[in-house]
Amino acid sequence: MKTKVVLLFVVLFAASALHAANALSGKLVDVNTRKPIDYANVTVMLPDSSILTGDITREDGSFLIQNLTKGMYIVKFSFLGYIDQVRNIRMADQDIDLGTIRLTEDTQHLQEVEVVAQGTTMRFELDRKVFSVDQNIASAGGSVTDVLENIPSVDVDQEGNISLRNDENVEIWINGKPAGLTAENRAQILEQLPAESIKEIELITNPSAKFSPEGTAGIINLVMKKDRKAGYYGSVSGGISYPWGGIPGGNVGFNINYSKGIVDTYLNLGYNYRTSFGGSQTDRKNIDEKGDTLTYLQQTGSNQRRGGGLFVRAGIDLHITDRSTLGFSGFAMAANRNHTDNRSTYLLTNYLSGDTRRHYSRDDQGTGGGPGGNAMISYQLDINKRHKLMATASYNHFGFSNDNRYTQIESDTLIQQQINDNTNQRVELKADYEWKPTDQSRFEAGWETDLSWQKTDVNAYEVEADEKKELQPYYNDFGNKEQTHALYITYGNRFWDKLSLQVGLRGEYMYRSLNTVYYDETNQLKLTTSVQDTSYFQLFPSAYISYTFPHGHELQFNYTRRVSRPRGNQLNPRQDFSDSTNIQFGNPKLLPTYSSALELNYLKVWEKHTLSAGFFYRFADGVVQNVKYMDGEVMKNTYINIAKRQSVGLEVVGKNRLFGSLLQLTTSVNLYYNTLSGAEFHDVVNGHPVDVSLDKTDIFAWNARMNASFLFTKAFSGQITARYSSPRVVAQGKSSHSYSIDLGLRHTFLEKRLALSLNVRDLLNSHNRSSTTMGPAFWQYQLRKWNSRTIGLTLTYSFGNMNPKKSRQENKGMMDEYSGMGGDEE
């Protein structure tokens, strides 16, 4: 394997040396500030002024236009708010570097120009799909969770669990970094992140070797807003949300940015208060060895949640020189959540006679919350046109606590209390090096070290007359320490301006240490047990091939190997008694799940339409599954490595501009076929005998989304989002379908300084899901429903300099005439 990889690198380097092409390069800067101008248009025209090709400048202001034959050309440099600059050049047998081109700001044009078309909502890159969400009307005043519900291929359930392409083993990153988000805390964190703070969402289904291989489904990267404008600018906002039939909530926000000279800085503040309520239903049959039903459990419940959170984000970039930038950034949040009136009623009867065996109610009242945040320092040095160095160091800390009080009323009243304290810390150190041997090739290498600590403390009590008696069997002190060290290399090249190749290899060493403190059998002495430490080294290759055909056709193929490492509640052996008929505990002996994924993507671009179709195949071995089994009349849940999963899917995404600028339509359809192998498991997990048999299950599933954005006038716009998800396969059963519709309207006033947004989320109040599971000793139906129909009203006022540097999609200008990507109209 290693010999083949080395040989492939040698062949690619040799090919790049033999391949020669004439290229035009340079860099655009502001004539006064000397700062790079990113996303500007560089247009190459023939002597008759017909457009031949072009490029858009990168973040450092550089551009590169390849494969220009001998002859005379007209090169035009343009950017919204600057005076155009035109140069005549003659291409010979060598590349031309125009050096630094300085553009002058056109103040008169800035006052007159008015953008009246909608910005594009989606674009495609070699290894990802990028969705612009900063103008998402339906999510105004909401959270990032609300935004993710509108992204193709992403599903969010009632508990905030996120899946990508029908797979929950997905990583959530912020600005290209893990930022401390784990499966246990990310639902709470994403609920606190304001929707208005997000600029784009990137779906990286097959990340290259440059990125962490964590998450078999891929990475969802949240790109925070970070505009650069001269002087100061910002906004203040306030809103109210009303869940239908519930208690109103609200949000306020303040943002300010300042840019002058070598300094770019920003500060974002936000607070939101949310409420929700819903209900649940469980029907369970207890079955004997002969298949006869013995008992029947009926459980109904109602619940209500409410709570708020403060979010703060700040950063500063110091452009020390034209080639080096030092950055400091971070965010912090403080959340609190109260849930009241969580009442469940249980009725256990003899199935044949109908006689009542148990009938009781159980109330849960609790509070929770905690602080969390991320701090990062970064440095970038552009050594020269060919070489670049980047280094980052970050620290994450998130703490969440829950204090729950359970009151169970049967023949007597039983009061129990459970206090959970969870802490997650992470340190990430990373260095990257980039070298461009030629204008068409790129070599990257890097090192990354991740150190993480997770600690969970659980104390349980029985309360009598305000006196607490410790419940020793439910005491838990669990610690998980991990360290990962990685090196990677990637090499890519582009041939004949049509064929792009990229290969990469990442090597990771991972070490994990688990320990837990618990009481002995006498419930008198605390014991500490260290689960056998785990360490291993693995290689994760990646490969990408892309070929561009004439007339806007592009074909891509890629392969990656990835891993999903068990963490948090999956490993923690503690027993959760929040539901006395359904006990859950983790398995410290879980192993990682490795997967291999292949994708074949097709892209076709027209002037106002874009079509993307992708076929993918994913195979995973040792998949971690949550399994259920009966222990008497109590159901128990744990996690085991038991299954093999194969997934085949087709993903189709279309973007259309219809009726001029009136309607922009983004439609996606995803088709999946999943197979989960059958298996048997007979072992002891944390002292619990687990005897489980899984039948082979396969199911065809699909989902569809449609987002329609309307521009009625230059100041009045609207949005409709509809979603449908078919039934899906789960361990020991399947879940039901789901659907919802969101609406939004926005009107701007005072030359777009004041914006009023009205939205209705889950118009049909249909956000619920049911599941049916079965095993040798049980059959169970569960339904969870949230009354999630919410009406929101948000008012935003912007101040300061309103002439920003536009985004890549907002400033394509003449580039659209030959790229067909459909940028904004002026």
Side-chain angles (χ1 to χ4, degrees):
M1 174 66 186
K2 294 181 179 179
T3 304
K4 293 181 179 179
V5 172
V6 173
L7 181 60
L8 180 58
F9 274 97
V10 171
V11 172
L12 290 174
F13 270 112
S16 66
L18 295 173
H19 174 67
N22 297 327
L24 178 68
S25 60
K27 181 177 181 179
L28 266 63
V29 300
D30 186 289
V31 68
N32 296 316
T33 65
R34 302 300 173 91
K35 290 183 180 180
I37 301 177
D38 48 359
Y39 308 134
N41 301 326
V42 182
T43 308
V44 177
M45 297 175 287
L46 297 174
D48 61 0
S49 297
S50 60
I51 297 176
L52 176 65
T53 183
D55 194 14
I56 294 178
T57 58
R58 294 149 187 82
E59 291 186 2
D60 61 357
S62 64
F63 63 88
L64 176 64
I65 301 172
Q66 305 171 14
N67 298 316
L68 293 176
T69 58
K70 294 181 181 180
M72 295 294 299
Y73 297 98
I74 302 172
V75 184
K76 181 179 178 180
F77 308 95
S78 60
F79 187 71
L80 183 64
Y82 285 82
I83 299 174
D84 294 347
Q85 191 172 136
V86 178
R87 295 193 182 184
N88 296 314
I89 64 168
R90 178 189 294 273
M91 294 297 300
D93 292 328
Q94 59 184 7
D95 298 342
I96 295 179
D97 185 354
L98 296 177
T100 301
I101 297 98
R102 296 175 174 83
L103 297 186
T104 303
E105 194 172 20
D106 186 352
T107 56
Q108 181 179 359
H109 180 68
L110 282 173
Q111 295 172 357
E112 295 174 352
V113 70
E114 187 170 36
V115 178
V116 297
Q118 304 177 70
T120 182
T121 59
M122 176 183 66
R123 73 176 187 271
F124 300 88
E125 297 183 4
L126 181 64
D127 62 344
R128 69 193 68 189
K129 294 183 179 71
V130 184
F131 298 88
S132 176
V133 298
D134 55 348
Q135 297 298 318
N136 194 313
I137 305 172
S139 302
S143 67
V144 172
T145 303
D146 301 318
V147 176
L148 287 172
E149 291 181 346
N150 295 324
I151 301 300
S153 305
V154 178
D155 285 311
V156 184
D157 66 14
Q158 294 95 328
E159 301 300 322
N161 299 313
I162 298 169
S163 61
L164 176 61
R165 286 182 171 175
N166 207 28
D167 191 341
E168 291 187 359
N169 293 313
V170 58
E171 289 290 293
I172 309 295
W173 286 7
I174 297 178
N175 287 339
K177 301 289 187 301
L181 274 67
T182 67
E184 279 70 42
N185 65 24
R186 66 190 184 195
Q188 296 95 330
I189 294 174
L190 296 180
E191 280 186 1
Q192 299 303 318
L193 284 176
E196 287 77 11
S197 66
I198 303 298
K199 176 185 177 184
E200 295 174 336
I201 293 180
E202 300 177 340
L203 301 186
I204 314 174
T205 52
N206 256 9
S208 73
K210 181 178 180 178
F211 302 101
S212 168
E214 189 74 33
T216 54
I219 299 169
I220 299 176
N221 184 36
L222 311 178
V223 181
M224 311 288 280
K225 289 181 180 178
K226 187 180 176 183
D227 296 327
R228 289 169 52 196
K229 311 173 186 178
Y232 77 94
Y233 55 99
S235 65
V236 291
S237 63
I240 186 171
S241 60
Y242 175 68
W244 201 258
I247 302 173
N251 63 87
V252 292
F254 173 77
N255 306 288
I256 189 166
N257 303 259
Y258 178 78
S259 179
K260 186 176 182 180
I262 66 170
V263 177
D264 292 326
T265 184
Y266 59 89
L267 172 66
N268 311 137
L269 300 172
Y271 177 81
N272 72 68
Y273 185 84
R274 308 187 75 181
T275 65
S276 60
F277 63 99
S280 63
Q281 174 188 339
T282 299
D283 297 326
R284 183 191 306 156
K285 297 178 181 179
N286 192 0
I287 304 172
D288 64 12
E289 296 179 355
K290 298 179 181 180
D292 297 328
T293 301
L294 301 178
T295 60
Y296 184 46
L297 174 68
Q298 295 174 285
Q299 175 188 344
T300 58
S302 61
N303 43 62
Q304 179 177 324
R305 293 179 181 175
R306 59 184 182 183
L310 175 68
F311 175 77
V312 181
R313 176 172 171 258
I316 182 172
D317 287 338
L318 303 175
H319 305 282
I320 302 173
T321 68
D322 290 341
R323 296 183 178 273
S324 61
T325 301
L326 180 64
F328 303 88
S329 62
F331 67 86
M333 58 181 62
N336 67 83
R337 176 183 294 177
N338 303 300
H339 46 95
T340 59
D341 300 328
N342 292 357
R343 171 168 295 187
S344 298
T345 301
Y346 300 79
L347 176 61
L348 181 66
T349 60
N350 184 295
Y351 187 74
L352 295 178
S353 66
D355 295 337
T356 299
R357 302 186 60 169
R358 292 189 67 184
H359 187 197
Y360 64 93
S361 65
R362 187 175 177 88
D363 293 350
D364 170 15
Q365 295 191 9
T367 60
N374 162 274
M376 184 174 70
I377 179 173
S378 61
Y379 178 74
Q380 178 171 318
L381 174 63
D382 297 333
I383 301 173
N384 53 40
K385 180 182 175 181
R386 301 290 186 186
H387 300 269
K388 181 187 296 185
L389 283 175
M390 294 151 287
T392 60
S394 64
Y395 171 73
N396 311 289
H397 183 283
F398 292 96
F400 288 94
S401 299
N402 292 285
D403 187 349
N404 296 78
R405 189 181 183 96
Y406 305 98
T407 303
Q408 185 167 308
I409 302 175
E410 198 168 1
S411 57
D412 297 317
T413 298
L414 172 67
I415 301 177
Q416 296 173 323
Q417 184 179 17
Q418 184 170 265
I419 301 174
N420 300 325
D421 292 310
N422 300 280
T423 303
N424 289 278
Q425 300 180 76
R426 180 169 183 164
V427 173
E428 179 183 298
L429 306 173
K430 188 176 182 181
D432 301 284
Y433 167 70
E434 180 183 301
W435 171 41
K436 296 181 179 179
T438 69
D439 291 332
Q440 294 78 34
S441 61
R442 174 179 298 179
F443 173 82
E444 295 176 305
W447 152 78
E448 182 178 350
T449 289
D450 290 330
L451 309 173
S452 64
W453 302 265
Q454 180 187 2
K455 184 173 177 58
T456 300
D457 293 314
V458 179
N459 292 277
Y461 307 94
E462 185 173 314
V463 182
E464 295 182 3
D466 293 331
E467 293 185 3
K468 293 182 179 181
K469 177 184 177 181
E470 186 173 12
L471 299 175
Q472 288 92 347
Y474 296 101
Y475 172 84
N476 176 252
D477 183 349
F478 176 76
N480 179 10
K481 298 180 181 179
E482 292 185 9
Q483 52 179 289
T484 304
H485 308 279
L487 291 172
Y488 77 86
I489 55 173
T490 68
Y491 175 74
N493 207 333
R494 186 169 179 85
F495 304 92
W496 313 292
D497 202 32
K498 296 180 179 180
L499 176 65
S500 296
L501 301 176
Q502 180 182 299
V503 294
L505 183 65
R506 185 184 184 95
E508 282 199 354
Y509 170 81
M510 193 268 187
Y511 170 80
R512 184 183 73 189
S513 175
L514 305 177
N515 68 82
T516 182
V517 180
Y518 61 97
Y519 279 94
D520 63 4
E521 295 180 355
T522 66
N523 292 329
Q524 299 296 323
L525 182 65
K526 289 183 179 180
L527 303 178
T528 301
T529 298
S530 295
V531 179
Q532 182 177 2
D533 295 347
T534 302
S535 64
Y536 49 85
F537 177 81
Q538 290 285 331
L539 294 175
F540 299 94
S542 67
Y544 299 83
I545 301 176
S546 175
Y547 189 85
T548 302
F549 297 89
H551 309 296
H553 300 269
E554 185 174 350
L555 197 63
Q556 299 175 353
F557 174 80
N558 57 67
Y559 163 80
T560 61
R561 182 174 186 258
R562 301 189 60 75
V563 63
S564 178
R565 300 183 175 103
R567 291 188 174 91
N569 291 333
Q570 291 181 332
L571 296 171
N572 191 345
R574 79 175 182 91
Q575 298 185 65
D576 181 7
F577 62 81
S578 57
D579 181 350
S580 59
T581 68
N582 192 356
I583 305 297
Q584 303 183 45
F585 57 92
N587 180 3
K589 296 182 180 180
L590 289 177
L591 299 174
T593 300
Y594 294 96
S595 70
S596 296
L598 297 168
E599 286 192 21
L600 180 65
N601 298 309
Y602 168 76
L603 177 65
K604 167 61 177 173
V605 178
W606 294 271
E607 182 179 357
K608 294 186 178 182
H609 309 280
T610 302
L611 174 65
S612 168
F615 169 83
F616 65 89
Y617 170 77
R618 187 165 56 237
F619 173 80
D621 194 7
V623 177
V624 175
Q625 291 290 297
N626 177 264
V627 295
K628 303 176 176 65
Y629 65 97
M630 298 302 298
D631 185 2
E633 294 180 349
V634 176
M635 174 171 283
K636 292 189 175 181
N637 298 255
T638 191
Y639 299 89
I640 56 177
N641 294 99
I642 195 171
K644 296 181 180 180
R645 182 193 292 272
Q646 297 186 70
S647 301
V648 179
L650 178 65
E651 180 182 72
V652 180
V653 182
K655 184 184 69 174
N656 302 277
R657 286 184 181 271
L658 305 173
F659 313 112
S661 301
L662 175 63
L663 174 62
Q664 180 171 282
L665 193 66
T666 302
T667 308
S668 67
V669 177
N670 293 270
L671 310 175
Y672 312 102
Y673 179 77
N674 294 330
T675 298
L676 197 63
S677 66
E680 293 191 0
F681 184 85
H682 310 283
D683 203 348
V684 177
V685 179
N686 304 327
H688 303 272
V690 180
D691 188 358
V692 174
S693 296
L694 293 180
D695 295 330
K696 178 183 177 182
T697 55
D698 53 7
I699 191 172
F700 172 78
W702 65 279
N703 62 57
R705 277 181 177 81
M706 184 185 70
N707 181 288
S709 297
F710 300 89
L711 188 66
F712 304 112
T713 69
K714 63 183 180 182
F716 185 37
S717 55
Q719 192 174 82
I720 301 175
T721 302
R723 298 175 290 272
Y724 175 83
S725 181
S726 74
R728 296 186 298 174
V729 63
V730 296
Q732 298 174 284
K734 66 178 183 179
S735 61
S736 68
H737 72 281
S738 64
Y739 58 93
S740 63
I741 295 177
D742 297 339
L743 303 177
L745 293 172
R746 174 181 290 150
H747 200 292
T748 60
F749 309 87
L750 304 178
E751 297 182 350
K752 297 190 177 181
R753 289 185 177 271
L754 185 66
L756 180 65
S757 300
L758 173 68
N759 58 52
V760 181
R761 289 193 286 272
D762 195 11
L763 176 68
L764 304 179
N765 202 26
S766 55
H767 205 169
N768 60 79
R769 199 153 204 163
S770 62
S771 64
T772 302
T773 54
M774 62 189 70
F778 74 94
W779 173 93
Q780 178 172 276
Y781 168 81
Q782 283 185 307
L783 170 66
R784 290 192 176 186
K785 178 177 177 59
W786 287 100
N787 294 329
S788 52
R789 181 193 292 141
T790 304
I791 300 175
L793 189 67
T794 303
L795 187 65
T796 303
Y797 178 75
S798 302
F799 58 87
N801 178 16
M802 296 298 291
N803 301 314
K805 290 189 175 183
K806 297 294 180 179
S807 66
R808 190 182 194 110
Q809 282 68 45
E810 293 176 306
N811 286 285
K812 288 197 171 184
M814 295 178 65
M815 292 290 292
D816 295 323
E817 298 182 28
Y818 58 79
S819 70
M821 291 298 289
D824 285 357
E825 300 172 6
E826 297 179 9

